[in-house]
Amino acid sequence: MRFGCRTLTLIIISEMLWSTRILQFQHTILLKPKREWATAEEEFHRRKQHWPQTIHRLIRTLERNEKLSNSDIRAVYSRCATQPSDLDPVLLEESKFTIGQWDFCSNRPHLKLIIVVHSYSGNSYRRNLIRSTWGSLRRVGEEKIGILYFIGQAPKPEEQIRINRENTIYRDLVQRNFTENYHNMTHKHLTVIEWLTLAECPWLDYVVKVDDDTFVDIFHLTRFLRVDRLKSTPGFYCTATSGAKPSRPHTNKQHNKWTITAKEFPKNIFPTYCEGFGYIIEAELVPYLYLCSLFTRPIWIDDVYVTGMLADNLGFKRQKFIPGHAYDRVGPKVDSEQLLNNIFLTCYHSEYLPETFRRLWENALTRSAVMQYAV
C-alpha cells in the first residue's frame, strides 16, 4: 500500500554475492504454534473430512509436488485457523485463469528468479516500457530471470483481443477473470501466490514482486541475491511500515482510497507490512502464504493482508531494507548521476514515466560491470 500520488520507484539493490538454500521452514513454523497443538491436530482431522473436493485436490497437489508435506499443512492450520470463522478453508478467488502460462518454468530450466509484476489490464504501455528497459533481459551473468505480468479481466471485448495479441507476442501475461479495481487487489495478490504455489518451478530460489510503475536495476538485484542476506530470518525483505492506523470513513470528511471500515478490519493498528512498490521473498515460503490465506479472513488492502496479516500468522519477519535501500523522490529534471545515487526513486509526475525509465536504464547499463553478459 502506498499513500500519495502514483509513483515511479527505482529498486537498485546493493552489490553482494549468490547464496545457499535456507533451512526447511517447517521447523520454524512448528516451534511456536499459536494455539495448543493437540487441539489443533484433532480439530484439523475432524473438520478436514467435510472440506470441499477442491481443497482436497489442492492439498494432494501440494503434497505431490513436494511444496508442502502433510505435517506442514497441519502446522499452517494451527497457526492460521485461529478464529471460529476461519476453521474451514475459503478460496477468495475461484475464477479460472484466462491465460495461465503453466509451462513458463519448464520452458526455462534452472530459472532461479521470477519477478512478478502487478499490472492493470489496460496498462500495455507500461508493460512495453518495462519490456524495452529493465525487463528486456533474460539473463544476467549466469542467472536466468523470468518476468510475468499479472492482470485481471479486460473491461471490453476489444481490449481482450489486444491482450490476447500481446500475449501471443510476449508469452508473459497471466490473466484471471476478476474485475480490476482497488478493492480487488487482494484477489490479484493471491492469484500471484496461487500461481507460484501451483506452478512447477523446481529451481526457483526467489520471488520479487513489483508494481508496473517500478523500475528495477536488474544488475544490482541479482548481485544482491548472491549473498545469504535473506536467509537468517525467513520472510519478506522490503520497506516495512509499522504502527500505521487504518483510515476510517467519516460522515463529514472526504474518504481517501485506503478507507477501510471497522467491520472489515476491527483493530486500530495495522500489523507491520511491506509497502507495495516491491518486496523480495524466498520462493519456498510462498506456498505457506497461500495455504494460510485459506484460513485467514481477507481484507481488500493487499499489502496489509499478505505481508502483514498472513506474515504475522506464520511468524514471517519483515526484514527492513538495509541502510541505503530506502527510496527517495526526484522531480522530472534531475541529472543522471543523481538518478543512481539513490536506491529507490519515485517520480512526482507519471507523465515522465517513459523518459525516466529510459534514462534510468541507460545509466544502469552504463554502470553495470556485467552488461556484456546480458542477453
Side-chain angles (χ1 to χ4, degrees), residues 7-21:
T7 61
L8 161 70
T9 308
L10 164 64
I11 296 184
I12 304 177
I13 312 280
S14 71
E15 307 175 13
M16 302 177 183
L17 303 175
W18 203 254
S19 65
T20 57
R21 301 284 291 175

Side-chain angles (χ1 to χ4, degrees), residues 7-270:
T7 61
L8 161 70
T9 308
L10 164 64
I11 296 184
I12 304 177
I13 312 280
S14 71
E15 307 175 13
M16 302 177 183
L17 303 175
W18 203 254
S19 65
T20 57
R21 301 284 291 175
I22 63 173
L23 297 174
Q24 291 296 316
F25 178 69
Q26 56 263 36
H27 299 306
T28 304
I29 199 170
L30 289 173
L31 286 177
K32 297 180 180 179
K34 277 197 169 183
R35 56 199 182 110
E36 203 275 318
W37 174 245
T39 302
E41 179 87 347
E42 179 183 350
E43 193 168 59
F44 173 81
H45 288 292
R46 177 170 53 84
R47 302 188 76 94
K48 181 182 176 183
Q49 302 175 34
H50 306 289
W51 291 350
Q53 285 302 310
T54 52
I55 300 298
H56 286 285
R57 284 195 295 270
L58 170 63
I59 290 175
R60 287 195 296 270
T61 300
L62 293 175
E63 293 176 334
R64 183 174 62 251
N65 294 344
E66 299 183 348
K67 296 289 184 77
L68 294 176
S69 68
N70 189 263
S71 61
D72 293 329
I73 293 167
R74 298 198 308 273
V76 171
Y77 184 81
S78 78
R79 299 279 308 191
C80 301
T82 58
Q83 301 298 321
S85 59
D86 297 333
L87 297 179
D88 293 312
V90 176
L91 288 166
L92 175 64
E93 183 54 58
E94 297 188 74
S95 64
K96 293 183 178 180
F97 284 82
T98 312
I99 303 173
Q101 306 295 354
W102 297 111
D103 59 352
F104 187 82
C105 292
S106 62
N107 290 335
R108 295 161 178 79
H110 306 290
L111 179 66
K112 292 186 176 182
L113 170 64
I114 282 185
I115 302 176
V116 294
V117 183
H118 279 203
S119 185
Y120 174 66
S121 58
N123 282 0
S124 59
Y125 75 99
R126 287 192 179 185
R127 295 190 290 273
N128 286 333
L129 189 58
I130 293 174
R131 293 182 184 116
S132 65
T133 55
W134 65 264
S136 61
L137 305 184
R138 293 296 172 264
R139 182 190 299 270
V140 174
E142 298 300 317
E143 306 306 331
K144 290 184 178 180
I145 302 163
I147 301 176
L148 285 171
Y149 303 87
F150 284 76
I151 61 176
Q153 68 180 11
K156 298 178 181 179
E158 54 268 29
E159 186 171 318
Q160 185 61 46
I161 293 173
R162 289 194 291 270
I163 287 172
N164 292 340
R165 188 181 303 122
E166 179 183 351
N167 186 62
T168 299
I169 297 171
Y170 298 107
R171 296 292 179 184
D172 58 5
L173 298 181
V174 176
Q175 185 183 37
R176 202 169 194 176
N177 198 27
F178 58 83
T179 303
E180 293 265 32
N181 58 49
Y182 265 103
H183 282 257
N184 277 348
M185 288 305 296
T186 296
H187 291 248
K188 181 174 291 185
H189 211 145
L190 290 182
T191 292
V192 170
I193 290 173
E194 180 179 348
W195 188 94
L196 290 165
T197 299
L198 299 180
E200 296 186 19
C201 302
W203 303 281
L204 198 60
D205 284 335
Y206 292 106
V207 174
V208 177
K209 178 266 176 186
V210 296
D211 291 338
D212 65 4
D213 59 355
T214 300
F215 184 95
V216 181
D217 186 327
I218 205 72
F219 305 110
H220 285 214
L221 173 65
T222 52
R223 285 197 292 274
F224 171 74
L225 293 179
R226 292 190 188 108
V227 77
D228 196 8
R229 182 68 197 178
L230 305 182
K231 302 304 187 181
S232 58
T233 54
F236 295 92
Y237 183 61
C238 63
T239 293
T241 297
S242 299
K245 296 182 179 181
S247 175
R248 300 300 192 194
H250 297 283
T251 305
N252 299 323
K253 293 184 179 180
Q254 185 177 1
H255 298 171
N256 66 46
K257 66 181 181 181
W258 302 115
T259 297
I260 186 168
T261 66
K263 183 178 180 180
E264 293 173 297
F265 185 81
K267 296 181 180 180
N268 294 322
I269 301 290
F270 284 136

Side-chain angles (χ1 to χ4, degrees), residues 240-243 270-274 303-304 307-309 311-312 318 320:
T241 297
S242 299
F270 284 136
T272 298
Y273 66 90
C274 296
D303 304 326
V304 175
T307 68
M309 295 166 62
D312 267 5
R318 271 72 72 191
K320 292 186 177 181

